[in-house]
Amino acid sequence: MKLEHVNITVPNPKASAAILCELFGWHVRWEGEAKDNGFTVHVGDDESYLALYAPNKRLEPTGNTYVRIGGMNHIGVVVADLDAVEAKVKAAGYTPHSHGDYEPGIRFYFDGPDDIEFEVVSYA
């Protein structure tokens, strides 16, 4: 078994997808109308993806997800070249933080599009 996708609510799926494609080398797998007259973009690779969903209504911030049952705390992305991705993250205007070098890999985090936290890790 494998994880296929995670569905996340964002204000502008196309804009978020464009940033994630640039940072991680992903591609848009599908986009179109979605639940409750919303719009979704599926962005990722050939094996898994993020479903970036925007409903046709006003969005409200979630607050601190680390203290909420069912809160999504961060999305982990495995990359081959951690330094190259960190350079892209910085060039896109995001600030890497919480660097770590512990088993099973090296990593950093950043608060990306829509203030979603990403963990970028390399096992190389």
Side-chain angles (χ1 to χ4, degrees):
M1 288 186 232
K2 65 178 181 175
L3 180 65
E4 182 201 30
H5 76 274
V6 175
N7 188 310
I8 304 166
T9 300
V10 299
N12 186 332
K14 286 187 177 190
S16 297
I19 293 167
L20 296 174
C21 286
E22 176 65 29
L23 294 176
F24 299 127
W26 290 346
H27 63 274
V28 172
R29 295 171 40 132
W30 176 85
E31 63 180 61
E33 293 180 18
K35 178 180 179 172
D36 297 328
N37 296 313
F39 187 80
T40 297
V41 176
H42 293 179
V43 62
D45 61 22
D46 293 336
E47 297 293 319
S48 61
Y49 63 95
L50 296 178
L52 306 174
Y53 167 73
N56 189 18
K57 58 178 77 173
R58 182 178 175 273
L59 298 178
E60 297 184 24
T62 60
N64 182 356
T65 60
Y66 281 91
V67 297
R68 295 181 57 149
I69 295 172
M72 188 193 72
N73 301 317
H74 64 260
I75 298 169
V77 179
V78 177
V79 300
D81 187 337
L82 193 70
D83 293 335
V85 174
E86 185 168 8
K88 287 182 181 182
V89 166
K90 289 177 181 177
Y94 301 108
T95 303
H97 62 84
S98 303
H99 292 75
D101 184 356
Y102 51 88
E103 289 298 325
I106 57 175
R107 67 202 72 237
F108 70 89
Y109 296 76
F110 73 98
D111 298 324
D114 311 307
D115 290 325
I116 295 169
E117 185 177 66
F118 286 84
E119 175 184 4
V120 184
V121 62
S122 176
Y123 301 122

